[in-house]
Amino acid sequence: MAKFILSRFNNDNQEHVLSVSCGIGYIEHCILNTGFSSRNLDVTEVTDTSLRWLRTEIPPENIHIGFIPDCLKQKSDQAYYDYIYGVAVEYTMQQNELIDFLANLKKILTT
């Protein structure tokens, strides 16, 4: 999955990427192991517990706990991210919730 996600990036290491509901962060760990800059990777998760070991790889200001868009603080007020991905997050939502969720993500996507 990490290879597939990386194949969509431009690979210039200047892109800002958001991982939505990253879980324990294994995919993010794999992405960072390719040399992708941890400064350009933000992660969100609804609970702090699962992020214990990922905190050693990603700067604290790039870790956001809570629900989108509220957990993104100042970044939620502008189009900031070049890429946004989430793995297996849609199954937790009803159709109307998913539509609202995607609309909120679109607001912070640059393209």
Side-chain angles (χ1 to χ4, degrees):
M1 185 57 68
K3 286 181 184 178
F4 174 79
I5 291 168
L6 280 167
S7 75
R8 302 300 188 230
F9 299 171
N10 288 327
N11 296 321
D12 65 6
N13 222 356
Q14 299 301 311
E15 301 150 323
H16 294 279
V17 177
L18 175 64
S19 169
V20 176
S21 194
C22 69
I24 63 168
Y26 182 72
I27 290 173
E28 294 69 27
H29 170 78
C30 293
I31 288 172
L32 294 173
N33 278 340
T34 68
F36 191 85
S37 173
S38 64
R39 293 183 319 273
N40 294 350
L41 178 62
D42 283 16
V43 298
T44 68
E45 185 53 63
V46 295
T47 178
D48 191 24
T49 307
S50 61
L51 298 173
R52 286 182 298 220
W53 68 274
L54 190 57
R55 287 186 177 283
T56 64
E57 298 184 25
I58 294 181
E61 62 271 14
N62 291 38
I63 295 174
H64 310 280
I65 306 300
F67 293 99
I68 290 176
D70 299 333
C71 71
L72 294 174
K73 305 168 188 116
Q74 74 278 8
K75 294 179 183 177
S76 65
D77 297 332
Q78 58 186 330
Y80 181 80
Y81 295 102
D82 301 301
Y83 299 95
I84 300 173
Y85 71 89
V87 178
V89 296
E90 74 287 347
Y91 77 94
T92 65
M93 300 176 221
Q94 298 290 326
Q95 184 176 4
N96 61 329
E97 294 170 323
L98 180 58
I99 290 168
D100 290 343
F101 177 72
L102 293 173
N104 281 324
L105 292 180
K106 186 175 180 186
K107 292 175 188 175
I108 57 174
L109 191 59
T110 58
T111 54

